[in-house]
Amino acid sequence: MKTDVLLGLQWGDEGKGKIVDVLTPNYDIIARFQGGPNAGHTLEFNGKKHVLHTIPSGIFRDNNINIIGNGVVIDPIIFKKETDALREKFGLSNELLRKKLLISTRAHLILPTHIFLDKASEASKGESKIGSTQKGIGPTYMDKTGRNGLRIGDILAPDFKARYDFLVNKHKQMLAWHQFDYDLSEIEKMWFEGIENLKQLEFIESEHYLNEAMAGGKKILAEGAQGSLLDIDFGTYPFVTSSNTVTAGACTGLGVAPGKIGKVIGIFKAYCTRVGSGPFPSELNNETGEQMRKIGNEFGSTTGRARRCGWLDLPALKYAIMINGVTELMMMKADVLNSFSEIQVCTSYTYKGKKIDHLPYSIDPKELSANYETLKGWNTELYNTKQLPSDLLNYISYIEKNTGVPISIVSVGPDREQTILRN
Ligand code: GDP
Ligand code: IMO
Ligand code: MG
């Protein structure tokens, strides 16, 4: 058996959570491989909406295991809120949680001071800030690669508190350099309560667990967070997150060898959104963008910030498909474009006066503009999902033709049921 990967091809919030939930009945194990609570994955079923930040989106289905892999960074406070909600709203007992939700000993911990450092770093950048979610993601991955980080497995070590204090003292010196004011006492108390909550769960060496599961014929789906254009190497650097959000990240973030990767499912919206700063060639700073935001309810699941909106960007989509080795596409939020009589697609850019069809390594928005093709909108509600309107079918085949990858699912609403499977 191989591990299938599901990830976002744009700047995040493509609808990964919804689709993982839809696909979970086909899998035994769902595993998050990178990112942390900067993610907000929304699921809707039975008229209720649920947002997950750290926990894989398979958790609401029966008979499966959810794994938080080594590539993930965990904030014990946010994680406690998530598990408390599962206990209270879904009656998941501690015993069931221990069975259903397993955490890699190698996943790193976000400390309260990582959050302060994230805020201090953003404040020091002024106008050129990344627009981070301020969840401490960047500083935690910096400590990971700087070989100073604390891992889940360390929680059980007798000198855990001493190691925590050592790292916090280092952070305090950095915060003093930033002249950043903070109050650690309350948040530190909550953090150690979060650590006690984590101890109720099972820590595993997930690389062994997953490889043994594959050998035993179990089906695994790796759930990405963020999106390919936020990848630390291939995204719109420096306006990116601090992990590898692409397929290769599933290998390093779970311990699954490249040859063990099966299908790569790429999720994209029928248009584009971005939250936070950074280049966005097909952004619409006008009434049309406002309409997309309103109809698509484009406000961040983690921070509540308004998402920037624009047309589908084909060169960027093709780039993401190439880097990830996408084998099938799923198009999300088609319904959001129901009322548009015309749909535009960015097909190339003009960069420093020349036409190009790839994203340059660094973009000054003043030097780059998007070129569009116009397609006819379907301009109708998608009630009868068995027979999609011909103009929507035309949009789908236009994207398939330009990318060379089939679209296997079209999503027409936030609910589990509002999902059209194609062949
Ligand atoms: P994720 O981070 O990729 O899991 O995506 P988010 O959950 O942050 O953002 C996607 C938003 O769109 C959520 O509010 C979903 O409930 C919603 N959503 C997902 N699919 C659809 C769809 O097909 N149509 C509409 N209208 N909303 C959708
Ligand atoms: P999901 O998994 C959308 C963005 C932030 C910021 C940049 C860096 O829900 O798709 P960070 O906090 O990671 O240092 O922020 O990345 N960002 C996301 N945007 N969806 C996400 O996750 C995101 N996670 C981070 O807005 O621009
Ligand atoms: Mg999200």
Side-chain angles (χ1 to χ4, degrees), residues 240-372:
V240 293
T241 190
S242 297
S243 62
N244 279 119
T245 61
V246 295
T247 306
C251 297
T252 57
L254 294 175
V256 171
K260 291 270 167 62
I261 298 292
K263 289 198 278 193
V264 178
I265 304 166
I267 309 287
F268 71 103
K269 278 180 193 168
Y271 49 100
C272 275
T273 65
R274 167 160 215 171
V275 62
S277 335
F280 181 174
S282 62
E283 182 170 14
L284 291 164
N285 285 310
N286 59 15
E287 197 49 37
T288 311
E290 190 54 46
Q291 208 180 333
M292 282 177 186
R293 179 156 42 248
K294 222 164 125 192
I295 303 172
N297 191 23
E298 294 295 357
F299 296 89
S301 324
T302 297
T303 57
R305 290 178 292 176
R307 295 179 185 142
R308 300 154 62 192
C309 297
W311 296 117
L312 183 69
D313 184 333
L314 265 184
L317 187 66
K318 286 197 269 190
Y319 181 71
I321 289 170
M322 174 183 81
I323 298 289
N324 287 304
V326 171
T327 58
E328 80 191 69
L329 289 166
M330 297 186 181
M331 184 167 87
M332 309 301 291
K333 301 190 92 159
D335 55 300
V336 175
L337 301 183
N338 284 353
S339 58
F340 290 67
S341 52
E342 277 188 348
I343 290 173
Q344 290 190 289
V345 181
C346 163
T347 49
S348 66
Y349 313 113
T350 300
Y351 182 58
K352 296 184 177 170
K354 277 206 186 109
K355 191 174 155 197
I356 57 168
D357 57 9
H358 67 276
L359 271 173
Y361 100 97
S362 177
I363 301 173
D364 177 348
K366 286 195 287 299
E367 294 177 329
L368 185 129
S369 60
N371 306 319
Y372 297 96

Side-chain angles (χ1 to χ4, degrees), residues 8 10-17 32 34-42 51-53 118 122 129-139 141 223-227 229-230 238-243 245 273-278 300-303 305 307-308:
Q10 296 161 324
W11 284 284
D13 302 328
E14 296 89 350
K16 300 174 290 294
R32 270 279 303 268
Q34 45 67 234
N38 46 351
H41 294 183
T42 315
V51 183
L52 295 166
H53 300 288
D118 195 359
E122 286 285 80
K129 70 174 186 200
I130 308 294
S132 100
T133 58
Q134 308 208 339
K135 302 293 177 200
I137 304 299
Y141 279 112
E223 173 180 358
Q226 291 77 56
L229 302 178
L230 289 171
F239 301 99
V240 293
T241 190
S242 297
S243 62
T245 61
T273 65
R274 167 160 215 171
V275 62
S277 335
S301 324
T302 297
T303 57
R305 290 178 292 176
R307 295 179 185 142
R308 300 154 62 192

Side-chain angles (χ1 to χ4, degrees), residues 192-267:
F192 279 102
E193 285 166 11
I195 293 292
E196 290 309 306
N197 176 62
L198 273 164
K199 282 186 191 164
Q200 315 229 347
L201 290 150
E202 193 175 349
F203 305 158
I204 59 161
E205 303 207 340
S206 52
E207 62 279 23
H208 290 293
Y209 186 99
L210 289 167
N211 281 287
E212 279 161 24
M214 279 190 286
K218 300 274 189 227
K219 293 184 76 180
I220 303 172
L221 180 65
E223 173 180 358
Q226 291 77 56
S228 305
L229 302 178
L230 289 171
D231 179 89
I232 182 73
D233 282 283
F234 301 106
T236 45
Y237 193 88
F239 301 99
V240 293
T241 190
S242 297
S243 62
N244 279 119
T245 61
V246 295
T247 306
C251 297
T252 57
L254 294 175
V256 171
K260 291 270 167 62
I261 298 292
K263 289 198 278 193
V264 178
I265 304 166
I267 309 287

Side-chain angles (χ1 to χ4, degrees), residues 114-189:
H114 283 133
I115 298 167
F116 296 143
L117 283 167
D118 195 359
K119 292 182 175 167
S121 160
E122 286 285 80
S124 72
K125 288 191 165 141
E127 286 285 285
S128 54
K129 70 174 186 200
I130 308 294
S132 100
T133 58
Q134 308 208 339
K135 302 293 177 200
I137 304 299
T140 305
Y141 279 112
M142 280 163 73
D143 271 335
K144 175 179 178 175
T145 52
R147 297 161 294 179
N148 296 310
L150 288 179
R151 299 183 293 172
I152 284 288
D154 299 338
I155 291 175
L156 305 175
D159 64 345
F160 176 62
K161 180 68 170 57
R163 283 156 77 174
Y164 168 87
D165 288 337
F166 183 83
L167 187 52
V168 166
N169 279 332
K170 180 177 162 234
H171 292 163
K172 282 180 175 168
Q173 290 172 38
M174 293 160 75
L175 288 162
W177 182 83
H178 274 291
Q179 300 184 317
F180 186 81
D181 280 335
Y182 59 94
D183 180 1
L184 193 56
S185 52
E186 188 57 27
I187 187 169
E188 192 166 68
K189 192 170 147 262

